[in-house]
Each structure stands twice: as C-alpha cells, then as structure tokens.
Amino acid sequence: MTRIATLSETRSNCHDCRLRSLCLPDNLSKEDIGELDSIVQRRKPVARGAYLFQAGQRFNSIFAVRTGSVKASTLLANGDEHISGFHLPGDVIGLDAIVSRDHPSTAIALESTSVCEIPYAELESLGDRLPTLQHQLVRIMSRELLAEQSTGHLLTRRAAEQRLAVVLLKFSERFANRGLSALRFRLPMSRLDLGNYLGLVPETMSRTFRRLEEQGLLSIAGKEIEIVDVCAIKALAYGNNEGDLAAKA
Amino acid sequence: MTRIATLSETRSNCHDCRLRSLCLPDNLSKEDIGELDSIVQRRKPVARGAYLFQAGQRFNSIFAVRTGSVKASTLLANGDEHISGFHLPGDVIGLDAIVSRDHPSTAIALESTSVCEIPYAELESLGDRLPTLQHQLVRIMSRELLAEQSTGHLLTRRAAEQRLAVVLLKFSERFANRGLSALRFRLPMSRLDLGNYLGLVPETMSRTFRRLEEQGLLSIAGKEIEIVDVCAIKALAYGNNEGDLAAKA
DNA sequence: CGCATCGTTGAATGGCCTCAAGATGCGTGG
DNA sequence: CCACGCATCTTGAGGCCATTCAACGATGCG
C-alpha cells in the first residue's frame, strides 16, 4: 500500500527477473523481451486469502507468479472445495481458460503474492509477430500438461504415505528448479489444503507426516520440511511398493 | 494391408474430415486447411496393441486420432503400467512431449486405429505463417489442460462408485461431442485398463459396475454401456456425496 | 478345440474415513 | 506484554470399504 513498495514492484521488468528462464521471456532476444515487457502489468501484491480471479469470471489475462504462492480450486456441486494445484513463482496461471471465455477455476493467494498480469489478447497479437514468444507459450503449456499428467494420476492410486512422498518430491524438484534447496523447504499451504489436493483428510495427513518422521525419512517443523532420507522417499514414491494395488507379477 | 483400404485412407483430407472442428483445422480458411493438409501424413491403421510411440522415444510428430482409440501409459519403476489417459477420434496426442525432446509416455492402440501424423517442426513453421493455426494449437492445448485437471483430480478423492460415475460421464460427454450417443456407447478399453486409470483393481471394477447396474443406473453388456438414469449418475458423480471425505459444514 | 486373457464371485484382512475431543499456533485487541 | 478467540493441527477409538487372496466362468483367438 505504501508508495515506495509499489514503486519498487513496478520498477521490476522481465529482463532483470530471476525467474525469466521459467517464464515467457525464455529464449527471447533482448528486444523481444522489451516488447513483452511493455504489455506486462505489475500490480501491488495480492493479500493472503485474496482472489487473483474466480471461477466463472471472464478470462482476460494470464498471470505469472513472481513471489508468494497460489492455490487453484473449484467448487463442487455439494459445496466442497476441490484444490487442483499449487503455483509457485515462475508458474503461469490461467492457461486452462484460453479455450473457453471463462476461468474454470479460482486462484487464491496462499500468502502475500505478487504476480505479473499479461492481457491475453495482447499476448496473442504479439505472438503473431514474435514466433519465439509463441513457441515459448506452447512450451510452457506443454510443460504444464506434462506436470498435470505426472502428478494427477500418481495420486490416484497408492496409499497415503506414497501420495505424500510423491507430492513432497514434486515440490522438492520445483523448489530446486527455482534455485532453492531441494531438501529443506517450506510448504506454503496448510495441511488441510494439501490433504484436499491429495484426497486425504487432515487426520490422515497428520498421522502420515508423523509416521514418515518416525521412520526417519522426514524432519518436520510446522510448514518447514526437511527431507532426511531422499532415497527412501523415492523408493516409497516410485519404487518397489509392496503395499501397492494392482501389482502385476 | 489391402491396397484399396490404404488408398481409401490416404484419400481423406482435413477439409472433408468430420472431426475437423475438434482438431487443428478448426477456424482455418479453406486455403489454410490446404496448407496444413500438405504436411499431414496419413498411414495405414495401427493394429490393436501396437505402439504409436514409446516413452523415451525421440519426439518428432504429434498425432491426431482419426478412428479407433489409444491409451497413454507410463511404466513405473516397479514394472507396473500406469495408464494416464484414453484418446478418442479427434484427440491430439503427443502435446506433452513438445517441451522435452522425448515422449514422456507410451501410446498404444486399443483397437485398429488410424491416425494423422503431423511433423512438429513443420507445424511450427507453418504456425509462424498462419496465426489462426497457431492459435488453434494453443486452444487445443488449453482444452487438454482443462480436461486433465478436471479428471485428474476428480478421481483422487471419492469412492469407487463415484469415480466410475465421473469417468462414464466424461466419456459420455466426449462421445456426444463427436456426434455419437451420450447414453449408449462402447468403452474401447478393458476393465483392467479402466481400473488402472481409476486406481481400482479389476475385482472392484466388476463389483462396482454390477452395483450400479443393480441400482438401475446402468445397463451393461460387456464393453457396451447404457446410461439408464443420467440424473442419478450425475448426482453420484458431482452431487451430494454423503459418503465423501473432507466434507465441510 | 485348447489356451490365454479377461472377467466374475466369495471371504478375510487392512487402511482410511468418521466422529469426538484436546492441543497448538497465530493474529487481534486490550 | 498478555489474554483472548479462532483456525489449524493432533490424538484416539470404531466402522466401512477397497484390496488381497483364491478359485471359477466367460470370452476370444489361434
């Protein structure tokens, strides 16, 4: 809200952004980045719990997370919230709305979060002139599709411990891609939200975290997670899962 | 394998394709469709059980399903197969490979299946000249992303009956989009594959199908499915799920 | 017609959900 | 700085449902 903070936010640009390589400017020339930069809108941070956009709302822009984190959720017919994913800095949000006129899901900041807003009509026009930018948009969508597939269904089957192991490894990888530690990180969401995402109730989340800590695989302090035994976690997530279902001989 | 069948296949083109509106040619001018058509390769059908491509294989082309059906699967570290999705005529396959050099998953024909192969390098070049084609590619990827999100996690939570109800409604919708009946259709995959996709063992699949039939919601004859009570199925899938977990007051 | 894959049916085990209650943490206001 | 209130998190006991194990029936293909 202060003038100075707003200024320091707006002063930033794509070229100096340390998340550039994850985002739309990747592979672009210096001049092209300047053109992209001119259509990017940087606003003041979104407060914890505030909406970036709501489901059903008209789609106008995609958003790139600069700092903070965001959860994507939909409201089920019975009133339950269903969380479809979490977004970290460098992620691009709203790509699932391009095909329709409206946002299919709601985006809520998990903490104070600053985003770059990119009006889609202008991005599309710019892409018509800058093939490299267009290709990068397609690459980012392909990346999202890949991530969605690999997580979406690794969570369908498998026991609670395995689901948790998978999602922790996914976050570990994502933090590592952003230059942060792969073994010590802070999960930005509550246990309730993470459980919602995994299809587990909070009680099971609590018990499962405790079990993994007792087995010496994790060290937990609130939202701070330390992966103590990476090999064991990986084996649990992807490896020989004797407790798995549909085991083929 | 016969000469005539091959000829009748190769004779087809994008402009006459009845799946045009679901696929890349949608929104394109007649001339642009001709340009797209010139880079599309139509080969003889892929036999049941044969690979379109395998995980790890170099990515060169995307594929559009013309007739038949395809399952996408990955091999887990323990040797289990994990099915990440099913593709019907009009679907575009391989979009998740654009970001990397290699295919992340394997595509296997569930029946005799004919596809259009579209070399991606040529599509990209063509897209640089034809903005409408480029936009359509982005729209298709957005559509896939949306579908992946909505199915991927509706299956995470929920009981067996609800998972089955959700997936049957998804197929119903997809068949309807292709001009087929929304209430009577033939599932192209085995119960084992469908169970794998849903994270349920074959025994549970069998029992769940039978239970829905006994309740008068379905009529089943092998792979042929008839949805008898659509409302009840929808209520089960999305509605008031008292047996659901994480119910919020 | 024989074999292999797929599908079905029946018990028993185990894991996750439900319900209930207490503990912890954190932001707010006194 | 402390007290309060609320949301989040934890812990315990019990029940339900999907998996497991085992065996049989159906189907389809050579």
Side-chain angles (χ1 to χ4, degrees):
Chain A
M1 196 61 104
T2 67
R3 187 83 162 277
I4 294 173
T6 305
L7 283 175
S8 83
E9 292 292 347
T10 53
R11 196 171 48 195
S12 63
N13 59 58
C14 288
H15 193 270
D16 295 337
C17 183
R18 70 195 166 77
L19 296 166
R20 196 180 50 182
S21 64
L22 291 171
C23 195
L24 283 167
D26 193 35
N27 293 325
L28 261 63
S29 71
K30 197 167 181 176
E31 294 149 9
D32 291 355
I33 291 180
E35 291 217 55
L36 173 62
D37 220 17
S38 68
I39 67 168
V40 173
Q41 299 171 8
R42 297 180 182 82
R43 305 236 175 104
K44 64 170 186 280
V46 178
R48 170 195 169 97
Y51 297 103
L52 259 74
F53 51 80
Q54 292 193 51
Q57 193 174 318
R58 178 66 180 266
F59 167 69
N60 290 312
S61 304
I62 60 177
F63 297 85
V65 181
R66 200 141 31 105
T67 66
S69 50
V70 175
K71 70 173 175 182
S73 68
T74 55
L75 209 57
L76 300 179
N78 58 3
D80 286 359
E81 181 187 17
H82 169 228
I83 297 175
S84 58
F86 301 100
H87 299 288
L88 303 179
D91 285 340
V92 180
I93 310 180
L95 297 171
D96 54 355
I98 293 175
V99 69
S100 73
R101 273 211 338 275
D102 307 317
H103 283 286
S105 59
T106 299
I108 300 177
L110 289 168
E111 55 198 312
S112 183
T113 297
S114 55
V115 297
C116 298
E117 178 171 356
I118 305 154
Y120 187 69
E122 299 184 38
L123 179 64
E124 205 172 42
S125 302
L126 193 57
D128 293 346
R129 292 197 294 109
L130 307 179
T132 313
L133 175 60
Q134 190 64 261
H135 300 169
Q136 182 58 14
L137 175 62
V138 169
R139 283 172 55 86
I140 287 175
M141 294 188 75
S142 175
R143 183 184 71 191
E144 292 297 311
L145 206 51
L146 182 59
E148 202 66 43
Q149 264 175 223
S150 67
T151 58
H153 279 112
L154 273 174
L155 305 175
T156 305
R157 51 181 65 250
R158 301 177 120 69
E161 284 189 7
Q162 298 177 310
R163 294 191 200 187
L164 184 54
V166 169
V167 80
L168 287 178
L169 286 173
K170 292 283 177 190
F171 274 107
S172 169
E173 186 185 347
R174 293 169 75 184
F175 285 121
N177 285 341
R178 284 152 180 81
L180 303 173
S181 168
L183 299 181
R184 279 186 71 92
F185 48 84
R186 181 182 161 278
L187 291 177
M189 78 294 292
S190 70
R191 297 285 145 92
L192 192 123
D193 281 348
L194 188 58
N196 183 311
Y197 175 71
L198 294 178
L200 299 170
V201 294
E203 295 93 323
T204 303
M205 291 300 296
S206 178
R207 281 186 257 263
T208 307
F209 265 114
R210 188 166 55 80
R211 219 177 308 145
L212 291 186
E213 189 171 32
E214 284 172 0
Q215 294 172 16
L217 309 191
L218 294 179
S219 176
I220 307 163
K223 290 181 163 50
E224 300 280 344
I225 305 291
E226 179 178 1
I227 297 179
V228 177
D229 190 341
V230 191
C231 294
I233 298 264
K234 285 186 179 173
L236 181 58
Y238 306 112
N240 58 327
N241 35 3
E242 298 165 15
D244 191 18
L245 39 112
K248 305 180 80 171
Chain B
M1 194 63 102
T2 69
R3 189 84 162 275
I4 295 172
T6 306
L7 282 175
S8 83
E9 291 293 346
T10 53
R11 197 170 50 198
S12 63
N13 60 58
C14 288
H15 193 271
D16 295 336
C17 184
R18 69 194 166 76
L19 296 166
R20 196 180 51 184
S21 65
L22 291 171
C23 194
L24 282 167
D26 193 34
N27 293 326
L28 262 61
S29 71
K30 197 168 181 176
E31 295 149 10
D32 290 355
I33 291 181
E35 291 217 56
L36 172 62
D37 220 17
S38 68
I39 68 168
V40 173
Q41 299 171 8
R42 296 179 183 83
R43 305 237 174 104
K44 64 171 186 280
V46 178
R48 169 196 169 96
Y51 298 102
L52 261 73
F53 51 79
Q54 293 193 50
Q57 194 174 317
R58 178 67 181 266
F59 167 67
N60 290 311
S61 305
I62 61 177
F63 297 85
V65 181
R66 200 141 31 103
T67 67
S69 51
V70 175
K71 70 172 175 182
S73 68
T74 53
L75 209 56
L76 300 179
N78 58 3
D80 287 0
E81 181 187 17
H82 170 229
I83 297 175
S84 57
F86 301 100
H87 300 289
L88 303 178
D91 285 340
V92 180
I93 310 179
L95 297 170
D96 54 354
I98 293 174
V99 69
S100 73
R101 272 211 338 275
D102 306 317
H103 282 286
S105 58
T106 298
I108 300 176
L110 290 168
E111 55 198 313
S112 183
T113 297
S114 55
V115 297
C116 297
E117 178 171 355
I118 305 153
Y120 187 69
E122 299 184 37
L123 179 65
E124 204 173 43
S125 301
L126 192 58
D128 293 346
R129 291 197 293 111
L130 308 178
T132 314
L133 175 61
Q134 189 64 262
H135 300 169
Q136 183 58 14
L137 175 62
V138 169
R139 283 172 55 86
I140 288 175
M141 294 187 77
S142 176
R143 184 184 71 192
E144 291 298 309
L145 206 51
L146 182 58
E148 199 68 42
Q149 262 175 222
S150 65
T151 59
H153 279 114
L154 273 175
L155 305 174
T156 306
R157 50 181 66 250
R158 300 177 121 70
E161 282 188 9
Q162 298 178 310
R163 294 190 200 188
L164 184 54
V166 169
V167 81
L168 287 178
L169 286 173
K170 293 283 175 187
F171 273 108
S172 169
E173 187 185 347
R174 293 169 76 185
F175 284 120
N177 285 340
R178 285 153 180 79
L180 302 173
S181 168
L183 298 181
R184 277 186 73 90
F185 47 82
R186 180 181 161 280
L187 292 176
M189 77 295 292
S190 69
R191 297 283 144 90
L192 192 124
D193 281 348
L194 189 58
N196 184 310
Y197 176 71
L198 295 177
L200 299 170
V201 294
E203 295 94 323
T204 304
M205 292 300 295
S206 177
R207 282 186 258 262
T208 307
F209 265 114
R210 187 165 56 80
R211 220 178 305 146
L212 291 186
E213 189 171 33
E214 285 171 1
Q215 293 173 17
L217 308 192
L218 294 179
S219 175
I220 307 164
K223 291 179 161 53
E224 300 281 342
I225 306 290
E226 179 177 1
I227 297 179
V228 176
D229 189 341
V230 190
C231 294
I233 297 266
K234 285 186 180 173
L236 181 58
Y238 306 112
N240 59 328
N241 35 4
E242 297 167 14
D244 192 18
L245 39 112
K248 305 180 78 169

